[in-house]
């Protein structure tokens, strides 16, 4: 799962400074990877 999340550049480089914004990006990426499987 972590390798698939790191495919999203925004998560791998952590553009978001605030933790809640970063966590929401992780949730969105997880939903997208789950949806595509």
């Amino acid at each position: 799962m972590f390798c698939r999340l790191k495919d999203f550049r925004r998560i791998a480089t952590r553009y978001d400074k605030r933790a809640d914004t970063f966590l929401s990006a992780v949730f969105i990426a997880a939903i997208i990877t789950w949806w595509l499987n």
Side-chain angles (χ1 to χ4, degrees), residues 5 10-11 14 16 18-32:
L5 284 177
R10 180 178 187 156
I11 295 172
R14 187 156 183 179
D16 303 317
R18 294 177 46 190
D20 57 344
T21 312
F22 178 72
L23 188 61
S24 65
V26 169
F27 283 150
I28 291 172
I31 290 170
I32 290 171

Side-chain angles (χ1 to χ4, degrees), residues 1-9 11-12 29-30 32-37:
M1 183 66 182
F2 291 110
C3 291
R4 289 187 181 176
L5 284 177
K6 290 204 174 204
D7 289 339
F8 291 88
R9 185 174 183 207
I11 295 172
I32 290 171
T33 56
W34 177 75
W35 189 301
L36 294 177
N37 282 332

